[in-house]
């Protein structure tokens, strides 16, 4: 039986293509990443540029930049669904990190004029990468439980303030250059092995919050941030930018401390990776309530 509404996402959710297929996500809007003057579409399956190739380019000294999704591209992706009689729930990258959310609202207004009998809800996830991806997972669960479009949107919106991202960056060069981190200047230094720790605050900004020396201390810090929340029977996301061994270490430490949790593990795709750079690892999970700001 056809679903009453379709969940639509963009490639910044950093899902594996098999997850999207299993979850019934058929429309994934690719962002565009530009490296050394060449544009690539960031498809989940890496058909235009793989994550490995992308990070190799960054390590060779190339820089990456990204382009927001325009209202036209949203309309282009959504219109076939609306024409077929389906409503849409779109889960967008944090509006504090990209102007795409603003563009999506322009597209929502236009679709409302063209298809007044249909509904499109664009939700600012105030999240990024697999944090955004976890919200997609929970939206799919709600949809499969029989929740309506509006009920699913309300449910996911209620999870947003409880979704934590704890991030270890190898350095803040890429995030600082792209203007994606608030207060980054105070955390940039040249001391050997200093690892900036970041989080996503309530309004969807990424902020540096702590510094540690070395990867082990970084993992310990992430574990300490998880201690204050109920971690039993959690689905935990682990995401990394071409640092699979570090991601494995983090997963092993979390499992040793909290038991046999369920995990989603994937690479940070080129769009988010253009701003994190290689060597980043993060854990995302549901907790109590995000920091209001730093």
């Amino acid at each position: 039986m056809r679903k009453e509404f379709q969940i639509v996402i963009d490639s910044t959710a950093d899902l594996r293509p098999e997850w999207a297929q299993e979850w019934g996500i058929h429309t994934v809007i690719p962002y565009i990443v530009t490296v050394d003057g060449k544009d690539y579409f960031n498809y989940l399956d890496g058909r235009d540029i793989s994550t490995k190739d992308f990070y190799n380019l960054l390590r060779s000294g190339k820089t990456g930049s990204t382009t927001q999704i325009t209202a036209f591209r949203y309309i282009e992706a959504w219109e076939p669904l609306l024409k077929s009689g389906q409503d849409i729930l779109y889960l967008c990258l944090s509006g504090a990190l990209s102007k795409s959310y603003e563009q999506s609202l322009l597209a929502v207004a236009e679709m409302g004029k063209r298809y007044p009998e249909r509904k499109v809800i664009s939700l600012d996830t105030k999240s990024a990468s697999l944090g955004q991806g976890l919200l997609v997972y929970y939206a799919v669960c709600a949809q499969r439980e029989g929740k309506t479009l509006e009920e699913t949107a309300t449910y996911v919106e209620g999870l947003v303030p409880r979704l934590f991202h704890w991030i270890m960056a190898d350095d803040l060069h890429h995030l600082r250059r792209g203007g994606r981190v608030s207060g980054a200047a105070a955390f940039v230094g040249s001391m050997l092995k200093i690892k900036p720790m970041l989080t996503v605050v309530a309004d969807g900004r990424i902020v540096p919050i702590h510094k540690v020396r070395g990867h082990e201390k970084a993992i310990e810090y992430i574990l300490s941030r998880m201690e204050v929340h109920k971690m039993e029977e959690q689905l935990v996301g682990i995401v990394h930018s071409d640092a699979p061994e570090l991601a494995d270490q983090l997963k092993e430490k979390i499992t040793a401390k909290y038991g046999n949790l369920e995990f989603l593990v994937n690479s940070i795709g080129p769009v988010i990776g253009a701003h994190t750079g290689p060597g980043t690892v993060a854990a995302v999970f549901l907790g109590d309530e995000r920091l209001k700001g730093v």
Side-chain angles (χ1 to χ4, degrees):
M1 183 167 58
R2 190 178 66 176
K3 300 173 186 176
E4 292 183 4
F5 66 95
Q6 289 288 333
I7 297 170
V8 176
I9 65 171
D10 57 64
S11 57
T12 58
D14 286 339
L15 300 183
R16 294 189 182 188
E18 59 266 29
W19 297 345
Q21 184 177 8
E22 179 185 345
W23 299 351
I25 306 295
H26 303 299
T27 304
V28 181
I29 306 172
Y31 269 69
I32 295 173
V33 61
T34 303
V35 185
D36 201 27
K38 183 175 180 179
D39 291 342
Y40 301 90
F41 282 100
N42 175 208
Y43 294 105
L44 296 186
D45 61 8
R47 74 189 77 158
D48 226 10
I49 185 169
S50 70
T51 54
K52 190 71 177 176
D53 288 345
F54 173 75
Y55 289 116
N56 283 341
L57 286 171
L58 293 192
R59 288 190 171 102
S60 74
K62 308 296 184 185
T63 59
S65 61
T66 56
T67 304
Q68 70 187 34
I69 298 174
T70 64
F72 173 79
R73 288 184 64 208
Y74 283 122
I75 291 169
E76 190 177 49
W78 294 348
E79 195 157 30
L81 296 174
L82 298 172
K83 278 184 177 179
S84 71
Q86 297 180 84
D87 297 330
I88 294 170
L89 173 60
Y90 172 60
L91 301 180
C92 189
L93 172 68
S94 173
L97 302 178
S98 170
K99 297 294 186 183
S100 292
Y101 178 63
E102 292 180 9
Q103 290 292 307
S104 77
L105 295 182
L106 295 176
V108 169
E110 177 60 26
M111 292 295 89
K113 295 173 185 176
R114 297 188 194 180
Y115 303 93
E117 73 284 2
R118 301 264 57 88
K119 297 176 184 175
V120 182
I121 295 176
S122 178
L123 194 153
D124 182 354
T125 65
K126 297 180 172 61
S127 304
S129 189
L130 204 48
Q132 190 181 350
L134 272 189
L135 293 176
V136 175
Y137 169 81
Y138 287 117
V140 169
C141 290
Q143 183 185 49
R144 289 179 173 176
E145 289 170 3
K147 285 184 169 59
T148 65
L149 169 66
E150 292 84 356
E151 289 169 341
T152 301
T154 299
Y155 170 67
V156 173
E157 197 167 23
L159 296 179
V160 170
R162 297 176 47 214
L163 185 69
F164 282 79
H165 308 60
W166 286 104
I167 307 156
M168 184 220 77
D170 221 29
D171 63 60
L172 289 182
H173 166 72
H174 295 275
L175 284 158
R176 180 182 59 167
R177 178 180 54 79
R180 293 308 196 274
V181 172
S182 304
F187 276 73
V188 176
S190 58
M191 294 180 66
L192 187 64
K193 296 184 179 179
I194 292 295
K195 305 301 177 187
M197 306 302 299
L198 305 94
T199 193
V200 178
V201 293
D203 63 6
R205 290 176 298 122
I206 300 175
V207 298
I209 200 165
H210 192 59
K211 288 183 288 189
V212 298
R213 185 182 293 274
H215 290 143
E216 289 218 6
K217 291 291 185 183
I219 290 175
E220 288 176 12
Y221 184 79
I222 291 174
L223 290 173
S224 74
R225 297 302 87 195
M226 300 174 87
E227 283 179 357
V228 298
H229 307 288
K230 294 179 180 178
M231 296 305 300
E232 297 81 4
E233 300 181 2
Q234 269 261 27
L235 178 64
V236 177
I238 295 178
V239 68
H240 64 91
S241 54
D242 202 29
E245 297 87 359
L246 196 56
D248 286 343
Q249 289 177 39
L250 178 56
K251 180 182 175 182
E252 288 170 7
K253 293 283 188 179
I254 293 173
T255 300
K257 186 162 188 174
Y258 296 107
N260 191 23
L261 301 175
E262 295 291 325
F263 289 90
L264 294 176
V265 182
N266 198 22
S267 299
I268 297 173
V271 170
I272 302 299
H275 304 291
T276 66
T280 295
V281 67
V284 293
F285 58 92
L286 290 177
D288 299 323
E289 190 174 12
R290 284 186 193 176
L291 298 174
K292 295 297 184 185
V294 177

